[in-house]
Amino acid sequence: MTAPAVPPISVRRWGLNLGAVVLLLGVSVAGFWPSFAGGSYLLAAIGGVLLGIAIAAVAAWRRWGILIIAGMTVLAYFVFGGVLALPHTAIAGFIPTLDTLQQLAVGVVTSWKQMLTTVAPVAAPDGHLIVPFLLLLVSAVLTASLALRLTQPAWALIPAGALLAIVIALGTPEPAVPIIQGTVFALVSMAWLALHQIWAPQNAAVSVSEVDPSRANHMRMRRLISGVAVLAVAGTAGVATSAFTAPSEARHVLRDVIIPPFNVQDYPSALQSYRGHVRDNADEALFTVQGLPEKARVRLATMDEFDGQVINVVDGGPGSSSAFTPIRSNMSPDAEGIPVTLQIEIGDYADVWVPNAGEVNEFTFEGEDAETLRRSTYFSTGTGTAVATTGLSAGDSYTVQTVIPAEVTDEQIDDAAFGTVRLPKNENVPEELTSLAAETVSEAETPIEQARALETFLSEDGFFSHGLEGEVISRAGHTSERISTLIGGDQMIGDDEQYAVAMALLAGELGIPARVVMGFYPAEEQQGAAEFTATGDNIHAWVEVNFEGFGWVPFDPTPPEDQVPNDQNTKPRADPKPQVLQPPPPPQEPVDLPPTLPDDRESEDESLNIAGIIGAILLIGGISLGILALLLSPFIIIGAWKASRRRSRRAAALTADRIAGGWDELTDRAVDYGARLTPGATRGEEAVLVSDSLSVPTVTTLAGRADAEVFGPSEPTQEDVDAFWNEVDEIVVGLGSDVGFFKRMKARLSLRSLLGGSALSNGFQSLKQSATARVRREPGTIKSNTSAAPESETP
């Protein structure tokens, strides 16, 4: 009697499995959001998921093997990779070109490195979409294939969980929505397994379908309600405890190991170069700016952190307004003012501080180094400071899309309070500034009057001098000692560098939010010109004070250049060389000592860099091997599964079971090579089918021998087992020698013998026959039964 064929999977279970796969993969899709700073990757990621699920569904429906699935996955990657991952390289955005195919082929190996070696957020036009597209495509194929082909969908959670872990490792220290991601993944997994158990066909003696319909519906409803209750309790508890169990520190990801985070403190203060530009570049064209509106100023750097030696740019860290991030589009979406486009061309200027103006929305670099500059430039929206780590040089050019704030008057901000912005605390401030600041603003009544009082005190009571040849002595620098000398001397003598820092420190002593800005702006008679040329003659430093509702307002505390001491302005310098060299006084000698330290640190840095490079190479190699292992994992799992079944069959407790296992091993290999066996057939019937399908006549003799050994009056010896298995191996080798390489590999990787109903039926039939043989060998059984032909028994 032939057992009925295994019914195909129901439409309801198909919908359940595919729906669960989509939700599980969707959790990982959300994890890429911080890496791209938005949803620019969603088309590639969702496209990869849908393609992968489609491939798995068609392959499960047509019962295709793993080689066909792998081939379809590779084909889908190259056919759809252009429109989903590299649309800027495709014709009309969807027809792949040779460049598209080349980048897709190389991207399988290099895209992971590019993703990790680019500071987030990464840009889609740089080819980074290959990572989410490829990762989601492969994961969707694996997850959906396991969900549709295996009776236990829990196996499909392995690639889905591995995908989530990989997305986290490739992401940023700031996760997207970790609580929601974890909760959804857990709830979907539990719901999927529970519903699959409820809807799965039961093999017990009494199943839900075999009882009274009303009682069956009651049992299903009770199971469903219990599952929903468990999920609700688990989800509520997980969300409620997440606030207490969430780590307070940022998570560590691969990107932190490969790329050290950008640190603006690695670069000298921009204000330290002020006197050098004045002295050496008075007539040199540092850069030109086209499109600068009247009264607008070009900014190099905004500085608000004073440590007693220098005032420097501050990086408030992730999430703060002063945080530095890679440049992107629409960096200042809430800016108000006049939108302008500035065209800047670099001349003799060579530094890391990128000239800009207003509230910048976007930088667009041009020329041969455009891509390098774009990748290496960071911008702080809170301070308006841009840093190109590779440095600007002659010939570089770029366009700045920005918004110039409207000019405000004292009358407009007369009633405005100081803004509540957070600034770093100044350190090592001269003690005398506290009382001086209070005395200076004693008669001021409003915030704007206090700021103007500080500005007026310095600009009207002080004198101007760069300290160059033919000018009054004025030392460079803005240390605490230099500011103390400026304030406490008989006459205040200095230039923009000293006066701007002095006003910022005085304001800080009063709790006024102030910062120093260094940059360029044209003289009054050149305002509004079509092109502005920045030189050392029009470089300036000024102060910005924040007012509530108006933002940062500029103040100029530096005295006019013609305001010099009357008793010194006509005296020539006796020895001009010391004036040019500007030797520091004894108190400044410790400042000159630190330059000797980098020589000692250089060797350490080099060794650390070498170690970092080696570590990065090993890490990238490990990731590549991991991806390769992930791609090969189905083949490895199938081979290990078959080897494990072979070992368990040959190592069965009873020798008769080992003989039966040897026959099962032969039929499994025959099924892999294309033989069609009837579920529940006897060994003789199976031998006929194998012989007819694969032209192996010796298999019929082996089937009779197996029945004789299993149903014989005594247990076969180990020598009989070894001889039987040797014959099985010879027949299997013969099956492979008669076909080509690809068909042999297809058979070795085939899932038919593992997942097909014949394997389970044959194993059960062998166990049943072995059990029958053991019963007949027990004392007291009917001896005549041992001579009955096994083929006559009904399964």
Side-chain angles (χ1 to χ4, degrees):
M1 179 177 180
T2 301
V6 179
I9 187 171
S10 65
V11 175
R12 182 173 61 179
R13 287 180 59 198
W14 267 68
L16 171 64
N17 292 339
L18 294 181
V21 169
V22 170
L23 291 177
L24 291 175
L25 297 181
V27 172
S28 298
V29 170
F32 279 111
W33 190 278
S35 298
F36 288 86
S40 59
Y41 70 96
L42 288 177
L43 179 61
I46 296 175
V49 171
L50 296 180
L51 284 174
I53 291 177
I55 292 172
V58 173
W61 172 51
R62 302 297 299 174
R63 302 184 63 83
W64 288 337
I66 192 169
L67 291 180
I68 298 179
I69 296 176
M72 291 183 62
T73 304
V74 173
L75 181 62
Y77 173 71
F78 283 99
V79 171
F80 295 95
V83 64
L84 296 177
L86 298 172
H88 57 283
T89 65
I91 300 175
F94 65 94
I95 302 177
T97 62
L98 291 178
D99 184 39
T100 304
L101 299 178
Q102 180 182 7
Q103 291 192 35
L104 288 173
V106 176
V108 174
V109 178
T110 62
S111 60
W112 316 98
K113 172 186 173 183
Q114 293 175 356
M115 183 84 169
L116 293 174
T117 54
T118 302
V119 179
V122 297
D126 293 341
H128 296 300
L129 293 179
I130 292 179
V131 173
F133 173 63
L134 177 59
L135 198 57
L136 269 300
L137 174 64
V138 175
S139 299
V141 171
L142 292 176
T143 306
S145 295
L146 294 177
L148 295 177
R149 289 173 177 257
L150 299 184
T151 57
Q152 292 296 331
W155 292 100
L157 296 177
I158 296 178
L163 171 65
L164 182 59
I166 294 174
V167 171
I168 293 174
L170 295 175
T172 63
E174 297 78 33
V177 281
I179 297 176
I180 298 178
Q181 284 180 285
T183 302
V184 172
F185 192 92
L187 294 181
V188 171
S189 301
M190 291 187 291
W192 184 22
L193 297 179
L195 292 176
H196 192 279
Q197 185 67 24
I198 293 174
W199 291 348
Q202 305 296 319
N203 293 324
V206 178
S207 66
V208 174
S209 60
E210 293 174 349
V211 298
D212 182 71
S214 61
R215 184 182 176 187
N217 292 332
H218 175 71
M219 293 173 62
R220 290 193 181 96
M221 182 60 63
R222 186 173 61 181
R223 289 183 182 179
L224 186 59
I225 294 175
S226 301
V228 171
V230 171
L231 294 178
V233 172
T236 304
V239 174
T241 58
S242 61
F244 305 98
T245 59
S248 58
E249 297 181 357
R251 62 182 178 182
H252 298 283
V253 293
L254 295 177
R255 191 185 308 276
D256 294 334
V257 179
I258 296 179
I259 303 181
F262 170 77
N263 185 5
V264 71
Q265 299 293 334
D266 292 338
Y267 305 95
S269 170
L271 196 58
Q272 289 180 295
S273 64
Y274 174 84
R275 190 65 66 88
H277 284 304
V278 171
R279 182 186 63 235
D280 302 329
N281 301 314
D283 300 322
E284 303 294 334
L286 299 176
F287 58 86
T288 60
V289 182
Q290 296 180 3
L292 186 68
E294 186 177 356
K295 296 185 178 181
R297 304 185 179 193
V298 178
R299 180 193 308 107
L300 279 186
T302 302
M303 297 150 283
D304 49 15
E305 185 179 43
F306 184 78
D307 60 4
Q309 294 296 323
V310 295
I311 189 168
N312 211 339
V313 180
V314 67
D315 185 346
S320 66
S321 61
S322 58
F324 279 85
T325 61
I327 59 173
R328 59 190 184 278
S329 60
N330 199 26
M331 293 186 291
S332 302
D334 300 327
E336 296 181 359
I338 304 173
V340 298
T341 300
L342 305 179
Q343 180 65 40
I344 300 178
E345 296 186 6
I346 304 300
D348 293 334
Y349 178 77
D351 208 338
V352 298
W353 309 102
V354 181
N356 66 88
E359 299 184 30
V360 178
N361 272 319
E362 184 176 2
F363 288 94
T364 304
F365 289 96
E366 304 162 0
E368 297 180 356
D369 299 330
E371 184 64 17
T372 302
L373 289 172
R374 189 187 65 79
R375 288 176 175 272
S376 64
T377 301
Y378 299 82
F379 183 70
S380 169
T381 56
T383 64
T385 304
V387 179
T389 58
T390 56
L392 295 172
S393 59
D396 293 333
S397 62
Y398 56 96
T399 301
V400 181
Q401 301 291 340
T402 185
V403 176
I404 303 297
E407 184 180 6
V408 296
T409 63
D410 289 3
E411 290 75 15
Q412 291 176 295
I413 57 177
D414 183 54
D415 298 329
F418 291 120
T420 56
V421 296
R422 187 179 64 179
L423 295 177
K425 183 180 179 180
N426 296 324
E427 299 179 355
N428 301 318
V429 179
E431 296 179 358
E432 59 269 26
L433 293 189
T434 303
S435 57
L436 177 60
E439 180 183 351
T440 303
V441 301
S442 59
E443 298 181 0
E445 297 180 357
T446 62
I448 183 61
E449 289 179 354
Q450 293 180 3
R452 290 299 180 194
L454 296 176
E455 178 191 42
T456 302
F457 164 69
L458 294 172
S459 63
E460 292 186 357
D461 294 354
F463 297 95
F464 183 90
S465 175
H466 287 311
L468 301 180
E469 183 176 356
E471 298 181 1
V472 177
I473 295 176
S474 174
R475 291 188 290 113
H478 53 275
T479 64
S480 294
E481 182 276 332
R482 179 67 180 91
I483 300 302
S484 181
T485 301
L486 174 74
I487 300 298
D490 295 336
Q491 295 176 321
M492 287 191 297
I493 303 176
D495 56 15
D496 299 52
E497 180 182 6
Q498 291 80 43
Y499 285 108
V501 174
M503 179 176 173
L505 296 181
L506 288 169
E509 293 302 295
L510 298 174
I512 299 174
R515 62 191 189 184
V516 176
V517 183
M518 190 179 86
F520 302 81
Y521 56 83
E524 186 174 355
E525 63 274 11
Q526 297 175 338
Q527 294 282 346
E531 181 176 280
F532 164 62
T533 300
T535 67
D537 189 49
N538 51 35
I539 189 172
H540 298 279
W542 61 92
V543 175
E544 290 182 344
V545 177
N546 190 274
F547 289 89
E548 186 174 351
F550 295 91
W552 295 98
V553 178
F555 290 80
D556 296 299
T558 305
E561 294 188 10
D562 58 357
Q563 187 169 310
V564 295
N566 292 329
D567 59 342
Q568 298 187 41
N569 61 349
T570 59
K571 295 181 180 180
R573 304 297 296 273
D575 187 2
K577 279 191 175 180
Q579 299 173 20
V580 177
L581 295 178
Q582 304 164 12
Q588 291 241 345
E589 289 181 0
V591 181
D592 296 331
L593 294 177
T596 60
L597 295 177
D599 294 334
D600 296 331
R601 294 194 297 265
E602 185 175 357
S603 59
E604 298 177 4
D605 294 340
E606 289 179 355
S607 61
L608 291 176
N609 288 337
I610 294 175
I613 292 173
I614 295 176
I617 293 175
L618 294 177
L619 183 61
I620 294 171
I623 294 175
S624 301
L625 292 177
I627 298 300
L628 182 61
L630 180 63
L631 295 175
L632 296 179
S633 59
F635 307 95
I636 298 174
I637 292 174
I638 293 172
W641 193 351
K642 291 184 178 181
S644 176
R645 289 181 60 170
R646 176 184 171 89
R647 286 193 300 270
S648 63
R649 287 167 173 171
R650 190 155 189 175
L654 299 177
T655 54
D657 292 340
R658 298 172 193 172
I659 295 291
W663 177 257
D664 291 340
E665 185 70 18
L666 174 60
T667 55
D668 282 353
R669 301 292 76 78
V671 169
D672 290 338
Y673 276 101
R676 299 285 182 178
L677 302 185
T678 303
T682 63
R683 293 190 185 92
E685 295 170 345
E686 291 177 341
V688 173
L689 294 175
V690 173
S691 178
D692 293 342
S693 301
L694 304 177
S695 301
V696 187
T698 56
V699 75
T700 55
T701 304
L702 191 62
R705 181 177 172 183
D707 286 338
E709 297 286 1
V710 171
F711 292 97
S714 60
E715 285 285 337
T717 64
Q718 183 59 41
E719 289 75 11
D720 296 333
V721 173
D722 294 338
F724 185 85
W725 273 87
N726 289 336
E727 291 189 37
V728 169
D729 291 339
E730 291 178 0
I731 294 176
V732 172
V733 171
L735 292 177
S737 61
D738 294 337
V739 297
F741 171 78
F742 290 103
K743 188 171 183 179
R744 185 162 61 248
M745 293 302 299
K746 179 181 177 182
R748 291 179 180 177
L749 300 176
S750 174
L751 294 173
R752 293 184 60 201
S753 61
L754 297 175
L755 305 180
S758 60
L760 183 61
S761 300
N762 292 345
F764 176 76
Q765 182 72 6
S766 297
L767 292 175
K768 177 181 176 182
Q769 292 176 352
S770 298
T772 303
R774 287 195 294 273
V775 170
R776 289 175 176 173
R777 296 189 187 104
E778 294 293 332
T781 56
I782 301 175
K783 300 296 183 180
S784 60
N785 288 345
T786 61
S787 61
E791 288 82 354
S792 64
E793 296 181 5
T794 302

